[in-house]
Amino acid sequence: MHGEYKVPGGKLVVVDLDTEDGVLRHVRVAGDFFLEPDEAILAIDRALEGAPADTDALGLAARIDAALPPDTRMFGLTTEGVGIAVRRALAHATDWTDYDWQLVHEPPQSPALHMALDEVLTSEVAAGRRPPTLRVWEWGAPAVVIGSFQSLRNEVDPEAAERHRIQVVRRISGGGAMFIEPGNTITYSLSVPDALVQGLSFADSYAYLDDWVLGALGDMGVRAWYQPLNDIATDAGKIAGAAQKRIVTGRGAVLHHVTMAYDIDADKMTEVLRIGREKLSDKGTKSARKRVDPLRRQTGLPREAVIERMIASFRGRYGLSDGHVTEDELTRAKELAESKFGTPEWTARVP
């Protein structure tokens, strides 16, 4: 069995192993990481040899920690990362490069249609009718997107939303509310086969699926990292939030979508979002600008250039062909936008 895992912000860990009578055998760990002293790699292999095959990643990491020489130094490698690579080998997980990735980047769509497209495209990936897809959104209107389980009345001031002509929609994933203005926001979705995240914990899958964008930001001069569970942060503040939804039909798939702040109207945001207003009530608008620090200031690049560089980074790592939403997918998404995501019943399903 073969498993690979790229440590977020670090290096690739590769594990080859067998199992016999419920334990790990013939374990060999490799990768492009740095490790001192040389004999530490043998200590890692010995620590994993004979481990029960049902040991979780943290348990495997604990075995390695106990076996390493006291002067061990790791660069681009963590013992938990080795444990995750083992779990991915045992789960027969796939890798990014096992797939032919497709890019969907189309003209602006309504907020409700974006919610529907996420559901339809990810379901198509689960059914095996669509390749794994990176979809970059263009927004047709300002919006507040609330999480699947959030209370509408607790999150949004309806009078302020109406005054600013902001639509309120509810997505299928959990997480918090996102304040959207078309020119100030960068949003993308990954619709991926469940096999890609096999062996990863729910929390680890977030950083794993966004490692490419951290690399893209780094190339633009932005030092960013994942702040568990679902924020992308910099020294200057948060720049993005992620959310996920697991599709269990067919072969299974994961929807992972991220909204990034290219710019921000903090005054308007704190008028419309109740929670945002309460969090910042004693600190004023300047705190909102500090808490969410836009990419426009950090990169000095136009929004379109940031998106182009993100796409180029993904393509350089994993390959990416240009695609589109099919007529059937668009028809189904429009029907879903009308019957579900555009209805008061769905939007206020948690009042």
Side-chain angles (χ1 to χ4, degrees):
M1 285 172 275
H2 179 86
E4 298 185 1
Y5 177 65
K6 185 180 181 302
V7 176
K11 297 293 185 177
L12 182 68
V13 183
V14 181
V15 176
D16 292 284
L17 55 83
D18 298 314
T19 57
E20 296 175 3
D21 300 322
V23 300
L24 307 185
R25 295 296 184 198
H26 313 124
V27 182
R28 292 294 179 269
V29 175
D32 60 354
F33 48 80
F34 301 92
L35 179 64
E36 295 289 349
D38 282 352
E39 56 267 26
I41 190 69
L42 300 178
I44 292 173
D45 292 343
R46 288 194 296 267
L48 295 172
E49 191 74 21
D54 60 356
T55 308
D56 64 17
L58 290 177
L60 294 170
R63 289 176 67 103
I64 298 169
D65 288 334
L68 286 173
D71 57 344
T72 297
R73 290 176 292 168
M74 296 181 175
F75 304 94
L77 173 69
T78 64
T79 55
E80 185 179 356
V82 176
I84 291 172
V86 171
R87 296 308 316 166
R88 285 175 60 75
L90 293 167
H92 302 284
T94 56
D95 185 63
W96 293 87
T97 54
D98 293 331
Y99 301 103
D100 295 322
W101 290 88
Q102 186 175 108
L103 170 69
V104 172
H105 188 192
E106 297 190 334
Q109 307 282 9
S110 71
L113 186 57
H114 275 308
M115 303 302 109
L117 283 168
D118 262 358
E119 182 168 328
V120 169
L121 298 188
T122 308
S123 295
E124 288 295 282
V125 171
R129 293 187 291 264
R130 161 168 281 280
T133 299
L134 167 65
R135 183 169 75 91
V136 179
W137 303 22
E138 296 295 343
W139 290 89
V144 168
V145 183
I146 59 175
S148 182
F149 311 108
Q150 287 189 295
S151 163
L152 176 61
R153 70 165 66 99
N154 287 346
E155 298 298 325
V156 182
D157 184 322
E159 294 178 356
E162 184 177 0
R163 183 169 64 253
H164 291 293
R165 298 182 180 180
I166 292 175
Q167 300 177 34
V168 181
V169 291
R170 184 186 295 274
R171 60 182 184 266
I172 60 173
S173 62
M178 307 302 296
F179 179 74
I180 306 296
E181 291 187 293
N184 289 348
T185 305
I186 297 172
T187 303
Y188 64 86
S189 299
L190 286 168
S191 296
V192 308
D194 183 68
L196 183 63
V197 297
Q198 283 298 304
L200 297 174
S201 69
F202 187 79
D204 287 334
S205 70
Y206 274 83
Y208 180 72
L209 291 176
D210 279 332
D211 186 66
W212 67 276
V213 84
L214 298 186
L217 290 169
D219 291 341
M220 288 181 268
V222 179
R223 191 180 76 86
W225 61 88
Y226 232 84
Q227 189 166 293
L229 171 66
N230 61 335
D231 287 345
I232 298 176
T234 70
D235 289 328
K238 173 181 172 180
I239 57 173
Q244 288 186 4
K245 175 67 177 180
R246 307 296 170 111
I247 304 295
V248 297
T249 57
R251 304 171 188 174
V254 177
L255 167 65
H256 177 92
H257 43 202
V258 174
T259 293
M260 311 180 77
Y262 173 72
D263 207 342
I264 188 171
D265 185 333
D267 293 317
K268 190 183 298 183
M269 181 186 74
T270 54
E271 282 184 50
V272 175
L273 295 184
R274 291 188 189 278
I275 299 301
R277 182 189 311 164
E278 291 171 8
K279 284 182 179 178
L280 304 168
S281 60
D282 62 340
K283 301 175 184 177
T285 301
K286 289 182 180 179
S287 182
R289 296 187 186 279
K290 183 177 179 182
R291 186 169 179 269
V292 181
D293 196 68
L295 286 171
R296 180 177 182 176
R297 186 194 67 78
Q298 294 204 45
T299 65
L301 295 170
R303 175 180 176 275
E304 293 74 16
V306 174
I307 291 173
E308 287 173 4
R309 294 195 184 195
M310 289 170 56
I311 292 172
S313 177
F314 192 103
R315 182 176 280 118
R317 284 194 180 202
Y318 311 128
L320 189 65
S321 61
D322 293 338
H324 62 276
V325 176
T326 68
E327 288 187 13
D328 178 65
E329 289 168 339
L330 184 58
T331 296
R332 289 166 53 202
K334 287 180 176 178
E335 291 172 352
L336 200 57
E338 183 176 348
S339 64
K340 179 179 179 179
F341 293 105
T343 65
E345 291 78 16
W346 170 258
T347 304
R349 77 182 189 116
V350 182

